[in-house]
Amino acid sequence: MATARKSRSKNGHSNNMVNLDSGTISREIFVSPEIYAQEQEQLFARAWLFIGHESQVSKPGDFFVSSMGEESVILCRDRQGEVHVFLNSCAHRGMKVCRYDEGNTPVFSCPYHGWSYATDGKLVGVPYFKDAYQEKLDKSKWGLPEVAQICNYKGAIWATWDKHAPSFKEYMGGFLTYLDFLLDTWDGAGGEVEVFGGVEKWVIPCNWKFPAENFIGDRYHNISHRSVDMVGQGPSGSGRRDMQEREGATALDISFPERGHGTITFLRADDKVIPAYQHSKIVSEYFAHCEVERRKNYGQWARLVPGPSTVFPNMSYLPRQPRTISAWHPRGPDSHEAWRWFLIDKNAPAEVKEFLRHYYISYSGPAGLTEQDDMENWNYAHNASQGVIARRFPYNYQMGMGFDGPPVDTDGLDMPGKIRNVTAAKATEHNQRGFYQRWSEFMNVGDWDTLATWRNGHANGTNTGNGKAL
Ligand code: FES
Ligand code: FE
């Protein structure tokens, strides 16, 4: 069986699997168990991964069980108020020490033989410590394994198992500019944002990269959502596409191939205040007020209307309509768990929260009409790509290759990333190619000296002149 590592080419890219010269990608990277196993080692054990939001663990003893790659981890605020992420597997024989989704606890007690761990992951209780271990067991060495690095960025908690990985901010580079629109309050004033309700979790029978690449920039799949358009599920209640703030705006696809992140966004030409939601008077007035404040706080950046995005490798988000975070947790080559958090401004009026609750759950998640359309495609695409014949034929990622599109006029905004103006072309696979370039590097490269290409001046997170063909 060919593997991504074996097919490494001179330039570090996988010629057989991810061929950015021809714009083709082998189906093997979606269906091969060997490549999937390599991803766990090369990708998920090294990259920064999204864990949860600080509002989920606001009090000492609060915990939320999350996932890093295939493995269960516990996000917990200890008794001193510090936030930790540790492996949810007992140091004695590996039993899952916490089998709840979330809660508050003074201690995690292993149900197998009873070792217990404090909220900072330290081993504090061992049955028969005196008689069975003659008090010789060094408890300080047998706590729950803790991640190598953790970062709370504007309330979002991230972690990596790799102590050599760059800091979260370096890993993100200029992409933080776009992530901020998700994590800040709607008015950009720096207030509190919280996770609204529970986290939706469900299984999608396809490889985790299908949704990750869809969110990074698939403007092309609108045909999939025709039924939702006909039902009329938009933020003003008259149609899915009644996102009036996007009308007349310049459509930009922004890729960070040296980091793997990407976003699709819209740049408005004017300063007109258009509330993002206009479903009722109260809702409309609230978002109009936020928009006015947003202009004061963001200045010209308030003209940016951000859209679907992916933080490499498996965190995607929608910053506005609806405002959600998703993590695509791998569960074998043919399956992943989709987890979806909904964010809301803590001080929004109750009527606004109630409206958003309805909008969120009818749009996204397993019961969300729009997400159901997407899942249907991913399920069947994956399934139809598994056969021995199907696997001989690569997928096509050639859209927009070698075509820079019209110049990008960001009107004085120094927007980070490699930007394509796709207003006329409607779509490109510029962002997807950036994602797989980075995927290929992670799968083929052994150390961060090589992976951190931006340190060597090969690439950076700044606007590189708009549209260098990937
Ligand atoms: Fe946890 Fe034995 S497995 S105490
Ligand atoms: Fe979609």
Side-chain angles (χ1 to χ4, degrees), residues 377-428:
N377 290 315
W378 304 333
N379 296 352
Y380 281 95
H382 184 99
N383 187 263
S385 297
Q386 288 175 303
V388 291
I389 303 299
R391 286 164 75 158
R392 295 176 189 168
F393 298 93
Y395 291 156
N396 183 306
Y397 289 82
Q398 296 171 339
M399 192 192 301
M401 269 180 73
F403 176 68
D404 290 347
V408 179
D409 179 7
T410 55
D411 212 2
L413 290 177
D414 185 17
M415 291 175 61
K418 293 188 173 174
I419 307 175
R420 291 271 182 94
N421 179 346
V422 292
T423 310
K426 306 296 183 203
T428 170

Side-chain angles (χ1 to χ4, degrees), residues 329-351:
H329 296 306
R331 297 291 183 260
D334 308 326
S335 180
H336 71 275
E337 275 183 42
W339 289 22
R340 188 171 288 286
W341 290 253
F342 295 100
L343 295 183
I344 203 156
D345 291 352
K346 194 170 182 179
N347 294 327
E351 294 92 328

